[in-house]
Amino acid sequence: MSHRTISEHYGHDHDRLDSLLRCFQTLKTSDRARAGRAFAEFHAGLERHIIWEEELLFPAFETKTGMTSGPTQVMRWEHEQIRGFLQAIAGKLAAETDDTSDDEADLLAVLGPHNHKEESILYPMIDQITDDGERAQIFVEMDKRA
């Protein structure tokens, strides 16, 4: 993995995950098998992304800033909501139901603003308060959790 900025890496991962979700949404009524694979990859990728944030990025931010009840607390709460919507969709797909539109809408209502806050505020702040070595160590730790 190249050691780019946190903003670049995580923004790219958001884009990749968004593409997988759009693929699922496009295929869910026409090709259930491919849609299911796209959702499974999206779900696993988003879960890994959340783990990276909660185990690596947020602690780095909190250590550097001393803020433990601010932005990262909000992000963790939103992660819980996101995980709930993911489970709801996964449960319906496991029951071979493609009526996931309401759950997708709920997911996107949280995920879109959540990603925007991370990309416009949190990630740039982490890039500013960490040096190259600290960011490199975050990427090493991410690789261990991949």
Side-chain angles (χ1 to χ4, degrees):
M1 172 184 302
S2 66
H3 293 161
R4 303 174 285 193
T5 65
I6 297 298
S7 295
E8 289 170 338
H9 178 82
Y10 281 81
H12 175 75
D13 201 40
H14 282 170
D15 293 343
R16 181 184 70 81
L17 293 167
D18 290 346
S19 178
L20 288 166
L21 181 58
R22 282 191 304 275
C23 180
F24 161 71
Q25 291 175 307
T26 300
L27 295 173
K28 72 178 184 175
T29 57
S30 64
D31 189 338
R32 187 174 279 172
R34 282 182 51 209
R37 288 191 298 274
F39 181 79
E41 187 176 347
F42 168 75
H43 190 174
L46 186 51
E47 185 61 39
R48 180 182 65 210
H49 183 99
I50 288 171
I51 289 169
W52 285 342
E53 289 177 343
E54 291 184 350
E55 293 182 1
L56 301 170
L57 288 189
F58 297 173
F61 176 86
E62 292 163 351
T63 298
K64 288 288 204 169
T65 66
M67 288 192 285
T68 58
S69 62
T72 53
Q73 183 179 30
V74 172
M75 296 295 110
R76 285 184 178 98
W77 179 73
E78 291 175 355
H79 286 167
E80 288 179 32
Q81 292 180 298
I82 290 164
R83 284 177 165 137
F85 298 132
L86 290 171
Q87 288 302 324
I89 295 168
K92 288 181 179 176
L93 294 177
E96 298 189 9
T97 302
D98 60 7
D99 184 19
T100 58
S101 297
D102 288 345
D103 299 304
E104 293 165 44
D106 291 341
L107 172 64
L108 290 170
V110 174
L111 192 59
H114 176 86
N115 288 352
H116 179 73
K117 286 182 277 193
E118 288 179 335
E119 291 178 21
S120 64
I121 300 168
L122 189 62
Y123 299 158
M125 285 180 71
I126 294 170
D127 282 326
Q128 287 181 343
I129 63 174
T130 57
D131 62 31
D132 291 343
E134 290 165 326
R135 285 190 301 278
Q137 186 58 42
I138 288 170
F139 287 118
V140 166
E141 293 300 319
M142 285 169 53
D143 286 342
K144 292 178 183 177
R145 290 166 173 82

